[in-house]
Structure formats: structure tokens, C-alpha cells
């Protein structure tokens, strides 16, 4: 079931580069999605938030974005593992803020286990949320973007959309799928003014990664700091986490005039990880 609410800005703001655009960002109640929503709102886009979380905290986030950036902000709590809920969210977004012309497919979950022990239900959930949800949202918005001659689709994939790591079979398969989906949509829309790109972050310190750090520290019996230096950032040559602000800045660039000829790309934001 889709829970829908709308916060209006306190005052009319001056036009900014993305004024007049509506951006829907899936999985934007935390982490990278929230960072991207914040960056797009700062440029003037109206925002549709989506994701799970404590209801009051989500409402505070929604109201804060609207007030700080002088944009309209709506929220849908649609569960992206459910295609019917996705269809309701897309209809709601259109109803309250007009056609979505910036779509950021970001919602994602992770589960780590050897393939022989990987629970089937986790495989199904990761494929549904990390990959199939992007198919459903793109399918819903692309015809109208093409008709209007403008659209920006950004799929948050991962360095794991380009290379693999052991024990992440579902995640790596889904993220490689997202990169493939990105290229196909880019080709189908190439002459229409609609671009479709994948952002492929390396490790970013968000709740998703904090959970992995805790789990690995427990599994290996080592301190969390050692998990960060010896396991996670071992593959990231610049030896630091990427930030949600860096991902947000790239999303803003892709949405602007400078991004008009960038389509079908898988853009690594990984400190050199995939240069290996
Ligand atoms: P996060 O856990 O902080 O945020 C995930 C978001 O997705 C949350 O808003 C959550 O509520 C939402 N979500 C989860 N399941 C959902 C569902 N069924 N329906 C609707 N929303 C749902 O994680 P994050 O690190 O910000 O990850 C965001 C994206 O970035 C994911 O696709 C992830 O795979 C990708 N990514 C993250 C990293 C990293 O290091 N953090 C690296 C590469 C790619």
C-alpha cells in the first residue's frame, strides 16, 4: 500500500537550474538516495521521496528538504519489491507534482553469503528491489519523457555492477543487470532527449555499509576499524569512502545541460577500484 504525503515550501524561491523539474528518487529516506534528493532539491527540483523508516523521521526529512530548499516535496512509502505498489507510486507522483522528468533508481539492499548457503528468498528480494524495480519505474515514465523530449534516468548501480566480489552473488548479478538495463534504455531513447546512465559507487559510508561492517567484524572477530581498512577499503585505491555529496553532485551534473550527451554510461565513483 502506498502512503502518500506532501509538504509545500514555505516561500517561493528564485528559479534555479532544475526549477520546474520533478525528480523521483527511490530509496531516498537514507544514505545515497537522500544525498541525491538533497542535491537535486538544492538545484530547485521538486522531489518525490521513497523508502522505509520511522514515520516521524521521514516526515521531518520531507519537511526539512521543502523548507531548506524552497521546493515541493512528496513522499511515497511504496515497497519496491511489489510492482503494484510501484505503479501506485508512479501515479501518485504524477498526480501531485506533475510528470516525473528525473528518475533516480537507487533503492537497494544487500545480503552476503556463499552461494551454496544463499537463501532463495534473499536472492528473490535483491533481484526485485535492486533490479526489477528499475524496470518497472522506467517503463512507467519513459513514454512521457520521450513525448516531452526531455528526461534524465539515473540508476545507482555499484562498482559491483562492473566487477564481482565473492559472497555477493545476488547483489553482483542485480547490479550487472542494472548496468545492462541502463545501456538498453539509453539506446532505445537515444534520439529523444532522454538520457539514461548508471552511477557506480565504490564504498560509501551509509547504513547499508555500516551493517556490513558490524556483520564482518562479528564474523571475523576483528574490530570494525580493521574491517574498514583491511576488507572494505582494501579494494578502493584512494583509501577513503566516497561521500553521498559526491554522488549527489554527479547526479546534478547528469541532469543539467552538461550531461546532455552522456548516455548509456556506467560512471565509476570508486576511488580507482575498477581501474584494477
Ligand atoms: P541505505 O540502506 O542507506 O538506503 C537504502 C534505501 O533503500 C533506504 O531509503 C531504504 O528505505 C530503501 N529501501 C530498501 N528496501 C526498499 C524497498 N523494498 N522499497 C522501498 N525502499 C527500500 O543504502 P545506501 O548505501 O544509501 O544504498 C543506496 C543504493 O546505493 C543501493 O542501490 C546500493 O546498492 C547502492 N550502493 C551503495 C554503496 C555503498 O557503499 N553504500 C556502494 C555502491 C552502491
Amino acid at each position: 500500500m502506498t502512503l502518500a504525503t506532501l509538504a509545500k515550501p514555505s516561500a517561493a524561491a528564485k528559479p534555479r537550474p532544475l526549477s520546474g523539474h520533478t525528480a523521483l528518487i527511490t530509496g531516498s529516506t537514507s544514505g545515497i538516495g537522500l544525498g541525491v534528493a538533497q542535491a537535486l532539491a538544492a538545484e530547485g527540483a521538486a522531489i518525490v521521496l521513497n523508502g522505509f523508516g520511522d514515520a516521524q523521521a521521514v516526515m521531518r526529512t520531507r519537511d526539512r528538504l521543502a523548507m531548506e530548499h524552497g521546493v515541493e516535496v512528496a513522499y511515497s512509502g511504496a515497497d519496491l519489491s511489489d510492482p503494484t505498489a510501484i505503479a501506485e507510486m508512479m501515479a501518485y507522483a504524477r498526480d501531485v507534482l506533475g510528470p516525473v522528468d528525473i528518475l533516480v533508481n537507487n533503492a537497494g539492499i544487500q545480503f552476503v553469503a556463499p552461494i551454496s548457503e544463499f537463501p532463495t528468498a534473499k536472492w528473490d528480494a535483491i533481484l526485485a528491489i535492486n533490479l526489477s524495480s528499475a524496470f518497472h519505474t522506467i517503463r512507467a515514465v519513459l513514454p512521457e519523457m520521450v513525448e516531452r523530449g526531455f528526461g534524465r534516468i539515473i540508476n545507482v548501480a555499484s562498482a559491483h555492477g562492473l566487477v564481482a566480489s565473492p559472497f555477493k552473488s545476488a547483489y553482483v548479478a542485480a547490479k550487472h543487470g542494472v548496468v545492462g538495463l541502463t545501456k538498453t534504455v539509453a539506446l532505445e531513447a537515444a534520439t529523444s532527449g532522454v538520457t539514461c546512465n548508471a552511477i557506480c559507487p565504490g564504498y560509501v559510508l551509509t547504513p547499508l555499509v555500516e551493517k556490513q561492517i558490524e556483520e564482518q567484524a562479528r564474523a571475523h572477530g576483528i574490530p570494525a576499524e580493521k574491517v574498514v581498512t583491511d576488507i572494505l577499503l582494501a579494494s578502493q585505491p584512494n583509501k577513503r569512502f566516497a561521500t553521498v555529496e559526491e554522488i549527489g553532485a554527479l547526479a546534478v551534473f547528469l541532469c543539467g545541460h552538461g550531461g546532455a550527451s552522456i548516455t548509456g554510461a556506467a560512471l565509476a565513483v570508486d576511488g580507482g577500484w575498477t581501474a584494477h
Side-chain angles (χ1 to χ4, degrees):
M1 157 126 174
T2 299
L3 166 73
T5 48
L6 175 69
K8 292 206 181 271
S10 56
K14 281 194 222 137
R16 285 162 285 170
L18 297 181
S19 295
H21 294 288
T22 293
L24 185 151
I25 306 102
T26 69
S28 47
T29 50
S30 107
I32 292 171
L34 181 54
V36 170
Q38 181 119 357
L40 296 176
E43 296 300 314
I47 300 292
V48 185
L49 295 170
N50 157 258
F52 299 149
D54 169 71
Q56 288 196 341
V58 171
M59 291 309 107
R60 278 197 298 276
T61 300
R62 184 203 61 179
D63 293 345
R64 179 178 58 76
L65 278 183
M67 297 308 161
E68 277 179 10
H69 301 293
V71 296
E72 288 189 297
V73 183
Y75 166 73
S76 160
D79 179 345
L80 295 196
S81 65
D82 175 0
T84 307
I86 295 175
E88 285 171 7
M89 172 178 75
M90 302 314 287
Y92 162 70
R94 201 191 185 295
D95 283 354
V96 295
L97 292 179
V100 170
D101 53 9
I102 298 172
L103 169 66
V104 183
N105 288 304
N106 165 80
I109 58 169
Q110 175 63 288
F111 190 81
V112 180
I115 191 158
S116 53
E117 294 161 25
F118 211 93
T120 304
K122 286 286 181 197
W123 170 275
D124 290 343
I126 289 176
L127 268 286
I129 296 164
N130 295 20
L131 174 59
S132 299
S133 70
F135 161 75
H136 294 295
T137 56
I138 292 169
R139 195 170 173 275
V141 297
L142 188 59
E144 206 166 18
M145 286 181 175
V146 169
E147 200 182 298
R148 289 157 55 91
F150 177 85
R152 294 286 186 265
I153 300 171
I154 299 171
N155 299 319
V156 179
S158 168
H160 282 123
L162 303 170
V163 295
S165 294
F167 313 127
K168 296 185 174 176
S169 53
Y171 189 85
V172 169
K175 294 300 188 180
H176 275 67
V178 168
V179 171
L181 175 68
T182 301
K183 292 177 184 175
T184 303
V185 173
L187 292 178
E188 290 187 20
T191 57
S192 68
V194 179
T195 68
C196 181
N197 292 289
I199 296 180
C200 297
Y203 281 107
V204 185
L205 193 58
T206 66
L208 181 138
V209 166
E210 281 162 3
K211 187 163 165 267
Q212 282 183 61
I213 294 172
E214 282 165 29
E215 286 168 359
Q216 300 239 12
R218 252 197 319 275
H220 298 287
I222 56 174
E225 305 79 61
K226 215 165 159 51
V227 174
V228 170
T229 52
D230 295 9
I231 301 179
L232 300 193
L233 296 184
S235 26
Q236 207 146 300
N238 68 346
K239 301 297 172 202
R240 68 166 182 83
F241 289 107
T243 67
V244 300
E245 290 78 14
E246 289 165 355
I247 313 288
L250 178 54
V252 166
F253 181 80
L254 290 172
C255 290
H257 298 301
S261 294
I262 303 174
T263 195
L267 301 159
V269 186
D270 64 2
W273 177 348
T274 52
H276 279 301

